[in-house]
Amino acid sequence: MAYLSFQPLRQFSRIVTQQCRVFHSHQKLTAAKWNIGKINHVAIATPDIEKAASMFRDVLGAKVSEKNPQPEHGVYTVFVELGETKIELLNPLGSKSPIQNFLDKNKSGGMHHICIEVDDITEAMKDLKSKGVRLLSEEAKIGAHGKPVVFLHPKDCNGVLVELEQV
């Protein structure tokens, strides 16, 4: 019968516990000056925004907005209401649209970003920058809902483009 020694496991556990105490004792615990809220919308880039809107409106029976240009962002938007959240359909507006770049790589479209609500976008931006999260703009811009928005770099968000919107 083989003899199992738990000594190495005990030593490892003791070292990890000590390191965790050291890490936590050096952290400054400060109250956040901003709060994260619910998902506002999931954005889907589409090569044919009218066809996509029709599918949600005519096939699924959802309430769908009119197509609206957002020149500052280089997109047309249509919002599909789904209870507490929305789907945002995106289509390129102009030759320099970031959505066109996305569609060039994804011919049939696909999920572009998620939008999460925050109560103070300025504080959220400061806090996230201090934690090493890259913002795609230095200042918040006015988004499709007429509220300040900022995008976070996908490489800092598990490969997902994240938009924060102040509510």
Side-chain angles (χ1 to χ4, degrees):
M1 186 165 173
Y3 172 73
L4 291 175
S5 170
F6 289 99
Q7 189 61 28
L9 183 58
R10 284 188 193 113
Q11 288 173 341
F12 176 75
S13 177
R14 188 172 50 248
I15 290 168
V16 168
T17 302
Q18 289 170 348
Q19 292 300 317
C20 286
R21 282 190 199 123
V22 168
F23 175 75
H24 288 294
S25 68
H26 288 87
Q27 272 190 325
K28 289 183 181 178
L29 298 176
T30 58
K33 295 181 181 180
W34 65 281
N35 295 297
I36 193 164
K38 66 181 176 119
I39 292 177
N40 182 282
H41 64 266
V42 174
I44 300 172
T46 177
D48 187 340
I49 200 166
E50 287 81 10
K51 182 178 176 184
S54 174
M55 189 272 299
F56 282 102
R57 182 184 53 248
D58 303 332
V59 177
L60 298 176
K63 184 177 177 185
V64 177
S65 75
E66 295 296 318
K67 180 171 110 175
N68 291 303
Q70 306 293 328
E72 185 174 344
H73 298 281
V75 297
Y76 287 103
T77 60
V78 167
F79 282 95
V80 180
E81 293 185 27
L82 301 172
E84 291 290 313
T85 191
K86 297 175 268 316
I87 291 176
E88 178 184 38
L89 301 175
L90 300 170
N91 191 249
L93 170 64
S95 60
K96 295 182 181 180
S97 174
I99 299 305
Q100 187 59 59
N101 295 335
F102 182 89
L103 290 172
D104 288 344
K105 296 173 190 164
N106 304 278
K107 299 294 183 202
S108 59
M111 190 184 102
H112 185 262
H113 68 268
I114 63 168
C115 177
I116 301 171
E117 296 177 353
V118 296
D119 64 350
D120 188 329
I121 200 160
T122 303
E123 288 299 325
M125 291 170 68
K126 281 191 239 176
D127 184 43
L128 292 168
K129 281 173 80 171
S130 77
K131 293 175 179 173
V133 176
R134 291 171 284 176
L135 309 177
L136 296 186
S137 61
E138 287 299 314
E139 294 186 15
K141 297 179 180 179
I142 300 302
H145 296 118
K147 298 177 181 179
V149 300
V150 68
F151 286 87
L152 310 180
H153 199 294
K155 289 184 179 177
D156 298 336
C157 299
N158 303 302
V160 176
L161 180 61
V162 175
E163 177 185 22
L164 300 180
E165 178 178 279
Q166 182 168 307
V167 292

